[in-house]
Amino acid sequence: MKYENILFEIKNHIAIVTINRPDKLNALNGKTIDELDDVLNSIKNNSDIFVAILTGSGEKAFVAGADISELNKLDVLSAKEFSEKGNRVFRSIEILDKPVIAAVNGFALGGGCELALACHIRIASDNAKFGQPEVNLGIIPGYGGTQRLSRLVNNALALEMILTGDLVSAEEALKIGLINKIYPSTELLKKTIELADKICSKGQQAVRFALKAVKASDNMSLTEGLAYEASLFALVCGTEDFQEGTKAFLEKRKPDFKHR
Ligand code: COA
């Protein structure tokens, strides 16, 4: 399917999804959210895709937020629908059984920061800037920012960002645990693809079980989480990849995982 505001390509088991409205700094309008929803469904249902990368078009922005020209028209009821829809789409990233990496190539503001927060791993360019500037518009984050930011960085830092709307540089974001790594902007996509390639080279059933187990820890007590881990550990030991991975180690060779 051809999209108006999104570029979607698949290469070597990696899906690259580029939000493509560079003249509006890739701001998320309703159409883009619908297209993202559709792309995420395609990724979920395509067994040839092992890892997805989300990025923005151009050199300036990952995503500069929800489209303010649409926000401006919301009333109470449509605002509830707007927020619920965005939350559903972003949640589908978080619960996808394939890793999603945000390659943050510039401004990640408001809905852009929230989009990055919904991804499993965040890699940023050295010119990236993160922020939840909604208070400047007289609103609060509506795509998960109030919930995910405080789960990722400490509560007081999340509140400082959300209450002041101040932007945080890539270095600061790295320091507070908001992102995993920083690269020069010219190398960002290449380095993110290298990371995705590395994940693709592992046993994919193990990758999916590991992702499931770690993400479950968001909603479980330690006791529940350990029980869940033991169940998934048992299941993964029933796979061919487990047989191959352990056998290859003992035979001092590289594992030949079946790619499926
Ligand atoms: N919604 C709609 N349009 C947006 C946008 C958004 N969130 N962010 C940027 N744009 C548009 C601008 O209106 C401008 O469009 P125009 O050329 O038709 O006037 C274009 O993108 C370029 O942005 P501009 O503001 O001229 O770039 P800048 O380099 O001066 O500033 C930002 C960059 C990111 C600091 C600034 O665009 C900004 O503050 N954006 C809004 C961020 C925000 O509040 N996001 C949260 C929304 S909930």
Side-chain angles (χ1 to χ4, degrees):
M1 181 174 165
K2 184 104 176 75
Y3 298 107
E4 196 177 298
N5 298 330
I6 286 184
L7 306 174
F8 180 38
E9 56 172 317
I10 304 166
K11 212 170 151 193
N12 301 328
H13 304 294
I14 300 169
I16 302 184
V17 179
T18 308
I19 309 293
N20 187 33
R21 297 183 75 209
D23 53 326
K24 296 289 174 195
L25 304 188
N26 305 319
L28 299 172
N29 59 5
K31 174 102 182 144
T32 311
I33 291 283
D34 286 339
E35 291 184 354
L36 184 60
D37 193 18
D38 196 79
V39 166
L40 290 166
N41 265 316
S42 305
I43 292 173
K44 183 177 170 189
N45 295 324
N46 186 339
S47 57
D48 193 47
I49 298 173
F50 296 173
V51 178
I53 295 173
L54 267 182
T55 192
S57 215
E59 283 158 20
K60 205 165 159 184
F62 172 66
V63 166
D67 192 312
I68 299 169
S69 66
E70 288 186 0
L71 276 181
N72 170 256
K73 300 188 182 78
L74 294 177
D75 60 17
V76 172
L77 278 183
S78 56
K80 183 119 189 302
E81 279 168 21
F82 166 94
S83 179
E84 285 174 350
K85 185 179 191 179
N87 274 330
R88 179 182 61 72
V89 175
F90 284 20
R91 179 76 179 142
S92 74
I93 297 173
E94 195 165 45
I95 62 175
L96 196 70
D97 66 348
K98 304 168 188 192
V100 183
I101 308 171
V104 181
N105 57 311
F107 288 112
L109 307 182
C113 188
E114 291 166 305
L115 182 60
L117 289 172
C119 295
H120 303 121
I121 294 174
R122 284 156 290 280
I123 310 295
S125 58
D126 48 9
N127 66 333
K129 283 201 166 28
F130 296 81
Q132 296 290 163
E134 286 86 350
V135 283
N136 296 330
L137 303 169
I139 54 172
I140 69 168
Y143 285 170
T146 64
Q147 303 305 303
R148 291 196 181 92
L149 190 57
S150 58
R151 282 169 163 82
L152 191 62
V153 307
N154 87 47
N155 211 275
L157 288 172
L159 270 174
E160 187 179 339
M161 282 177 72
I162 291 170
L163 299 183
T164 63
D166 284 352
L167 306 194
V168 159
S169 67
E171 290 88 64
E172 185 65 15
L174 184 65
K175 215 161 62 186
I176 64 177
L178 181 45
I179 58 173
N180 296 55
K181 282 195 172 62
I182 304 176
Y183 292 108
S185 49
T186 48
E187 287 184 32
L188 175 69
L189 196 57
K190 183 173 131 270
K191 292 290 186 185
T192 309
I193 291 172
E194 278 173 21
L195 171 63
D197 271 335
K198 185 182 270 190
I199 297 171
C200 286
S201 74
K202 311 298 174 186
Q204 287 309 299
Q205 287 164 327
V207 166
R208 284 195 286 271
F209 278 119
L211 186 62
K212 223 172 154 58
V214 173
K215 289 316 290 177
S217 71
D218 288 348
N219 304 312
M220 286 182 181
S221 68
L222 184 61
T223 308
E224 288 166 334
L226 292 175
Y228 188 57
E229 183 187 84
S231 305
L232 294 184
F233 182 81
L235 284 179
V236 85
C237 288
T239 64
E240 283 174 36
D241 282 352
F242 157 72
Q243 298 289 342
E244 170 59 13
T246 48
K247 196 158 170 269
F249 176 84
L250 296 172
E251 291 171 0
K252 301 190 185 306
R253 61 174 173 82
K254 279 196 163 168
D256 176 21
F257 292 123
K258 296 281 167 288
H259 273 183
R260 68 193 130 43

